[in-house]
């Protein structure tokens, strides 16, 4: 018999941790290779962790709602015979003991060298939260005052980052006593008590009247994350919008003509989304200044064009899967990518890497009948394009013989961009170029 360590797999370059949301197998259950053992949630998407081997689950090292780092062992599976990653029971005691000693040493180092004595707090803080607090100069008193959104009021990564951002923007004032003399805070309870109301006041929500007929529903995990992202984006980027109306009559006629043949040949439905995505990818190549991100005082020019595609989920939540290297896809490839990501998003089958690495986002508000919208930027990107509903409208048609009134298919493009780094000339020129590509669509093209 051999013991196999099931580790939390790498889930994209920017994903370092995940929360266990549900164990699908219990201790003593038989597991087949590639069978899902547990469900996890990152800050982007929910996923499953499959077993690499067949065997029996003998130990769960973490419980539901526990935060696990990438590479950590989360379960032990007992297999029959030799396995390439087996660990003898007797041998396992040595690394486990060594690991415990290492943890103890690190804990002692933290206690001795840390400028803030987190051990003096009665509340539990994860290593990640404590590291962020130390790097940002957040004291124990300030941490104690943060109202956590995690289980049992635990302070999460999002909570501490929001607090740091609020403090930098002046929404929350760091207690002077803490900034000037951290040791006084630990030794003098009165200073701590004076600091707490400042934090709590900034977190306090406007009172809401509730009567007997109202229903109170707690936000689910994803809605809480979306809420945090949206507020953080508005606080981070200086949002400004440009709108332009586009005549897409040629596109509508062409799609009506080829959609049946397209589905028959490619086995995929042809919607308007991949056509729009193709135009956006071309415009981003023309205006690379829109394909950037901001990191403090630095602008990062992205080499690849990875288009985020906002998708509504059946439960009403939102997720943004990413089409990687979108500028390298033809229309067929774009349609396949759009349909694949859209279908897997609705079925809850997206992988964490499917939502990583986006450089620009497109959202189709016209799906729900909206003529145009003012979308919020998906950080750390600097722009997002909303596609309005396509409508039949009377329009002036210019011809060599003169101007006429006719029925045309038109839509609005709404472009939100970050005015910190994108001025009106660039933001307006970009969305105008998208419109030009759409209006110049070749009705004789093949798919």
């Amino acid at each position: 018999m051999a013991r196999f360590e099931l580790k939390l797999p790498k889930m994209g370059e920017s994903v370092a941790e995940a929360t266990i949301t549900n164990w699908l197998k219990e201790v003593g259950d038989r597991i087949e290779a590639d069978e899902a053992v547990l469900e996890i949630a990152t800050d982007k998407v929910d996923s499953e962790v499959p077993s690499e081997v067949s065997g029996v689950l003998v130990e769960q090292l973490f419980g539901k709602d526990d935060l696990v780092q990438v590479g950590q062992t989360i379960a032990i599976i007992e297999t029959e015979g030799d396995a390439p990653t087996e660990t003898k029971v007797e041998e396992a005691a040595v690394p486990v003991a060594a690991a415990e000693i290492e943890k103890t040493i690190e804990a002692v180092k933290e206690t001795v060298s840390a400028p803030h004595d987190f051990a003096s707090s009665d509340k539990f803080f994860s290593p990640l939260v404590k590291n962020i607090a130390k790097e940002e100069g957040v004291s124990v008193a300030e941490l104690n005052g943060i109202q956590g959104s995690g289980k049992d009021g635990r302070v999460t990564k999002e909570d501490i980052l929001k607090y740091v951002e609020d403090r930098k923007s002046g929404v929350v004032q760091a207690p002077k006593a803490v900034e000037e003399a951290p040791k006084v805070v630990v030794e003098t309870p009165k200073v701590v008590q004076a600091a707490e109301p400042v934090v709590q006041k900034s977190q306090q929500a406007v009172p809401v009247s509730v009567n007997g007929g109202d229903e109170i529903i707690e936000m689910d995990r994803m809605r809480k994350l979306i809420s945090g992202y949206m507020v953080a984006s508005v606080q981070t980027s200086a949002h400004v919008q440009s709108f332009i109306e586009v005549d897409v009559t040629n596109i509508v006629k062409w799609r009506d003509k080829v959609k049946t043949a397209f589905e028959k040949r490619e086995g995929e439905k042809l919607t308007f989304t991949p056509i729009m995505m193709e135009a956006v990818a071309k415009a981003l190549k023309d205006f690379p200044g829109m394909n950037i991100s901001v990191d403090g005082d630095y602008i990062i020019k992205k080499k690849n064009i990875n288009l985020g595609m906002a998708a509504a989920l059946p439960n009403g939540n939102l997720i943004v899967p990413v089409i990687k290297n979108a500028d390298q896809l033809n229309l067929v490839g774009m349609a396949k990518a759009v349909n694949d990501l859209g279908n897997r998003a609705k079925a809850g089958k997206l992988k964490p890497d499917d939502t990583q690495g986006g450089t620009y986002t497109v959202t189709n508000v016209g799906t729900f009948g909206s003529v145009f919208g003012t979308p919020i930027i998906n950080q750390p990107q600097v722009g997002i394009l909303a596609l309005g509903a396509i409508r039949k409208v009377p329009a002036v048609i210019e011809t060599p013989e003169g101007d006429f009134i006719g029925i045309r298919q038109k839509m609005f493009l709404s472009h939100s961009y970050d005015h910190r780094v994108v001025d009106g000339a660039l933001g307006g020129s970009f969305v105008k170029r998208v419109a030009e590509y759409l209006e110049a669509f070749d009705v004789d093209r093949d798919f």
Side-chain angles (χ1 to χ4, degrees):
M1 304 293 285
R3 291 165 65 89
F4 175 83
E5 295 184 354
L6 180 64
K7 301 179 183 295
L8 184 65
K10 184 175 175 60
M11 300 169 293
E13 58 183 26
S14 63
V15 180
E17 61 188 17
T19 300
I20 296 176
T21 56
N22 186 34
W23 281 95
L24 302 176
K25 296 291 183 178
E26 299 298 332
V27 173
D29 287 352
R30 174 74 185 177
I31 301 172
E32 300 299 329
D34 297 325
E35 186 177 7
V37 179
L38 69 158
E39 294 176 338
I40 58 172
T42 69
D43 60 348
K44 294 287 185 181
V45 69
D46 296 349
S47 186
E48 295 178 344
V49 177
S51 172
E52 300 174 36
V53 298
S54 297
V56 177
L57 181 63
V58 295
E59 191 173 355
Q60 296 175 346
L61 301 182
F62 293 91
K64 184 178 178 181
D65 296 327
D66 283 350
L67 191 66
V68 186
Q69 303 297 313
V70 168
Q72 277 191 293
T73 302
I74 49 182
I76 303 296
I77 299 173
E78 195 170 75
T79 64
E80 296 180 359
D82 295 333
T85 53
E86 74 169 4
T87 304
K88 300 293 184 182
V89 176
E90 304 83 31
E91 296 171 348
V94 176
V96 169
E100 290 300 321
I101 294 172
E102 191 69 28
K103 288 181 181 178
T104 304
I105 293 173
E106 289 301 320
V108 171
K109 285 181 179 179
E110 274 192 21
T111 305
V112 173
S113 61
H116 304 299
D117 184 13
F118 295 106
S120 66
S121 174
D122 294 331
K123 296 176 67 175
F124 170 80
F125 301 112
S126 69
L128 178 62
V129 169
K130 288 191 288 186
N131 286 337
I132 294 174
K134 285 188 290 185
E135 290 175 2
E136 298 294 341
V138 178
S139 69
V140 178
E142 292 175 279
L143 270 183
N144 284 333
I146 297 176
Q147 294 181 354
S149 62
K151 184 182 179 183
D152 299 325
R154 182 180 299 177
V155 176
T156 65
K157 177 180 70 174
E158 288 75 20
D159 296 330
I160 181 69
L161 290 178
K162 183 179 184 303
Y163 175 80
V164 171
E165 188 65 33
D166 287 346
R167 196 173 67 171
K168 288 179 179 179
S169 62
V171 176
V172 176
Q173 296 295 328
K176 291 184 178 180
V178 176
E179 293 177 344
E180 295 171 0
K183 294 181 179 180
V184 177
V185 178
V186 178
E187 298 170 0
T188 311
K190 291 182 180 179
V191 177
V192 177
Q193 292 172 1
E196 288 179 352
V198 177
V199 179
Q200 292 172 356
K201 185 175 181 180
S202 68
Q203 301 281 345
Q204 189 174 3
V206 177
V208 177
S209 176
V210 180
N211 60 42
D214 295 337
E215 182 181 4
I216 300 174
I217 303 173
E218 183 180 2
M219 292 183 188
D220 60 27
R221 186 191 65 85
M222 183 171 284
R223 177 47 54 186
K224 290 177 182 177
L225 288 172
I226 293 172
S227 174
Y229 291 146
M230 295 300 97
V231 171
S233 181
V234 172
Q235 291 177 341
T236 300
S237 297
H239 282 63
V240 67
Q241 284 83 26
S242 292
F243 305 92
I244 191 167
E245 191 173 27
V246 190
D247 189 331
V248 292
T249 305
N250 288 343
I251 293 176
V252 174
K253 289 181 177 179
W254 180 83
R255 176 181 172 272
D256 289 341
K257 181 177 69 174
V258 305
K259 64 180 180 181
T260 302
F262 185 93
E263 185 174 1
K264 184 177 180 180
R265 192 184 85 176
E266 302 296 337
E268 299 280 350
K269 290 186 180 297
L270 179 61
T271 64
F272 289 110
T273 301
I275 301 174
M276 306 296 174
M277 290 290 199
E278 182 185 53
V280 172
K282 288 181 180 178
L284 285 172
K285 291 191 73 172
D286 296 341
F287 294 95
M290 287 304 311
N291 198 53
I292 65 174
S293 62
V294 180
D295 184 8
D297 294 331
Y298 295 92
I299 295 173
I300 302 171
K301 292 184 176 180
K302 297 295 185 177
K303 178 181 178 182
N304 300 327
I305 295 177
N306 300 332
L307 289 183
M309 181 185 72
L313 299 176
N315 62 2
N317 286 328
L318 186 72
I319 198 165
V320 185
V322 177
I323 301 172
K324 307 293 175 59
N325 299 308
D327 58 312
Q328 300 178 20
L329 299 176
N330 60 16
L331 187 58
V332 174
M334 190 73 78
K336 289 180 179 293
V338 167
N339 292 342
D340 172 58
L341 290 173
N343 292 335
R344 287 197 286 123
K346 292 176 182 177
K349 298 297 183 181
L350 287 176
K351 300 176 181 178
D353 194 51
D354 290 329
T355 61
Q356 302 294 322
T359 60
Y360 188 87
T361 297
V362 178
T363 179
N364 190 354
V365 298
T367 302
F368 310 103
S370 296
V371 178
F372 55 80
T374 55
I376 297 175
I377 297 168
N378 186 16
Q379 297 295 327
Q381 300 165 26
V382 299
I384 180 171
L385 185 70
L387 308 175
I390 298 176
R391 302 137 40 242
K392 288 183 179 180
V393 297
V396 175
I397 304 172
E398 298 179 358
T399 71
E401 291 76 25
D403 296 342
F404 299 92
I405 299 294
I407 302 299
R408 306 294 289 177
Q409 301 270 8
K410 291 196 172 188
M411 66 182 295
F412 280 99
L413 301 180
S414 309
H415 186 210
S416 292
Y417 45 95
D418 189 343
H419 214 344
R420 294 180 302 166
V421 290
V422 180
D423 292 327
L426 174 57
S429 297
F430 169 78
V431 71
K432 186 174 183 291
R433 183 61 54 84
V434 176
E436 290 170 350
Y437 279 127
L438 294 176
E439 290 186 337
F441 190 86
D442 183 7
V443 293
D444 296 322
R445 71 177 284 183
D446 190 14
F447 50 81

